[in-house]
Amino acid sequence: MTQAETTAAATRRADSADLEGFGYQQDLHRTLGLFSSFAAAFSYISPSTGIFTLFALGLTTIGGVFIWSWPIVALGQFLVALNFAEVSSHFPVAGSVFQWTKYLANRRYAWFTGWIYIFAGILTVTAVVVTLPLTLLPAFNLMGWHLDAGALHDQIWLAIITLVVITILNIYSVKLVSIINNTGVFFEIVGMVVFAIVMLIVHRHQPISVVDNTGGLHLGFGSFFAAMFMSLFVIYGFDTASTLAEETHDPRRRAPQAVLMSVGGAFAIGGIFLLATLMAIPNLHKAIAAGWGPAQIIEANFSKNFAIVYLLVVSAAILVCCMCIMAATIRLCFGMARDNQLPASRHLAKVHPKLHTPIWSCLVVAVIAVIPMLKYDGAGYVAIAATGMIYLAYFLGNLAVLWARNRGWPRVTSPFKLGRWGMFINIAALVYGGAMLINFAWPRAASNPEPNQTAGALSLGVGFLNKIPILYTVLAVILIIGVLYFFLVQEHKDLPPVHIPAESGPVEIPPESLPPEDVVTT
């Protein structure tokens, strides 16, 4: 055995021993390095996916001015990412926000946070698989297949096929998913940058002042916040690098690095592409009136073959985005089930002895992700609902971290630390997150419509429900089911003790939430 192999083996043993300090065995394969961890988080963010989904919403709301939401959201999310990076350095286990709140707050709080987050993740899986048809169907059309990119039934069938493919890949091997994902991230980054440069040099129809041009649309606080939804839908999911910690080498160091790298990389690459796309619009007023997205702008500027190549590159990026989002959601499901926190936890936590993947968690996430398609009225509505719930889970996670900081956490150092800036960054992240939650909750046809304000597919068939903004209904159903299950079933379960390694900085867990005999400090 070479020196490098000896060192790698020693690192794997140390990582496994670290995990055992939390009371968990090394059941998942630890195969990911820094780039793979970054690539997983970057793929979840996937600038091309979010831009293709909601670019038209921003453009048709306030014209080119909507691009200014990009740096605002990126800065706000970077504050959240800094906070999460420090926490992930202390608690490198599968489950992200659920695990962090379990160690920093209490079991009840962690359960409801995880319950919201797991359904937010599943909704995000749905949102991204229904985004793929927005790029793939136009590419097929250019190839002469004559499919209707705007037909909802075609979008749904292609989305279901995509869901089946990514489920099989996630069942088969996280290593295979990682290889495909790393390749996809490379092509997404190169593709977006290359096409952006070509558009800026060869197809620059608008001056740089297009970023201040509303195209005749009204610009106010309300319209600007509505136009932010494209940016809000893009820059989240960076905690994927943390939730894959049990499959990452040296996760206490690499997970925080990957979290911050993914946000910075997505901001830079997405910003360049957004600017180039805006400047490549031949006629701004026509694009606003027709609700153009990047696909139409590409087709208006490039030859058919060039446009096909571009749409296929973006489709590949969206596909790997789907895989990563599903992988992260599966790990959350597995992490909660391993703690006996979900229905049928024994099955959901079972890892296949040869594939080293939680097969039942994979299948359950896939099946539930189909449900929103039964009331499908376009990718935008699913995306906005998914993003709103993700932001709620992030807010609850940041609130738990602030509570722990007020009680003296962290008491020990970690490879990544915020030091004296921790409290300030934590509060700033909560202020930003709270403002965005108000933005998501605001009733309006563009972002949180009543079912009777849509084309009809979102109709629930009940008069009073059709007058309630859809995000309220989705969240209410999830919470009502959660509350009933928690107090009728979950409260009466026998739960494993919570192991808190001393090097992670133990916190004081309220006795009413976690009996002292269930706290094990190792």
Side-chain angles (χ1 to χ4, degrees), residues 298-322:
I298 293 295
E299 289 177 28
N301 284 286
F302 294 95
S303 66
K304 183 172 77 171
N305 290 337
F306 211 58
I308 290 172
V309 170
Y310 175 74
L311 290 171
L312 290 177
V313 168
V314 173
S315 297
I318 296 174
L319 179 63
V320 298
C321 174
C322 295

Side-chain angles (χ1 to χ4, degrees), residues 109-180:
Y109 189 90
W111 190 89
F112 280 101
T113 301
W115 183 259
I116 292 170
Y117 196 30
I118 197 169
F119 282 99
I122 292 171
L123 265 177
T124 304
V125 171
T126 308
V128 178
V129 296
V130 297
T131 295
L132 184 59
L134 302 184
T135 58
L136 206 50
L137 289 177
F140 289 160
N141 265 327
L142 291 174
M143 295 178 190
W145 290 22
H146 304 296
L147 294 171
D148 184 1
L152 296 184
H153 61 277
D154 286 344
Q155 293 179 19
I156 290 175
W157 279 114
L158 185 54
I160 291 174
I161 292 170
T162 303
L163 187 59
V164 171
V165 170
I166 64 174
T167 302
I168 293 172
L169 289 171
N170 271 288
I171 287 174
Y172 183 72
S173 168
V174 71
K175 181 64 176 176
L176 176 61
V177 169
S178 173
I179 292 170
I180 296 172

Side-chain angles (χ1 to χ4, degrees), residues 315-499:
S315 297
I318 296 174
L319 179 63
V320 298
C321 174
C322 295
M323 286 194 304
C324 269
I325 292 172
M326 190 171 198
T329 307
I330 290 167
R331 269 56 189 179
L332 174 60
C333 181
F334 167 77
M336 292 186 69
R338 185 173 54 182
D339 282 2
N340 199 19
Q341 298 287 331
L342 293 174
S345 286
R346 183 169 62 88
H347 299 289
L348 294 175
K350 190 177 294 183
V351 176
H352 193 277
K354 293 184 179 179
L355 299 177
H356 295 279
T357 53
I359 293 179
W360 282 107
S361 287
C362 295
L363 294 174
V364 167
V365 167
V367 170
I368 299 177
V370 175
I371 295 175
M373 297 183 196
L374 302 177
K375 285 290 182 182
Y376 179 66
D377 199 23
Y381 292 129
V382 186
I384 291 168
T387 312
M389 290 185 59
I390 289 282
Y391 271 68
L392 176 57
Y394 279 7
F395 184 85
L396 293 174
N398 274 310
L399 203 59
V401 179
L402 181 65
W403 185 30
R405 289 190 194 279
N406 281 328
R407 291 178 290 128
W409 183 87
R411 294 189 176 90
V412 296
T413 190
S414 64
F416 181 87
K417 50 187 177 294
L418 296 176
R420 68 181 64 183
W421 288 96
M423 184 67 75
F424 172 79
I425 290 172
N426 202 157
I427 293 173
L430 280 169
V431 170
Y432 161 78
M436 292 305 101
L437 282 178
I438 294 172
N439 191 18
F440 279 111
W442 201 267
R444 55 189 168 207
S447 60
N448 188 16
E450 301 171 8
N452 59 15
Q453 292 176 322
T454 65
L458 293 180
S459 174
L460 299 173
V462 180
F464 81 94
L465 287 179
N466 282 340
K467 296 180 181 180
I468 299 175
I470 193 68
L471 181 59
Y472 298 174
T473 303
V474 171
L475 184 59
V477 169
I478 290 170
L479 286 177
I480 289 171
I481 294 173
V483 167
L484 290 174
Y485 171 76
F486 183 83
F487 288 105
L488 293 177
V489 180
Q490 186 63 39
E491 280 277 73
H492 307 290
K493 284 186 176 182
D494 291 326
L495 302 176
V498 176
H499 292 258

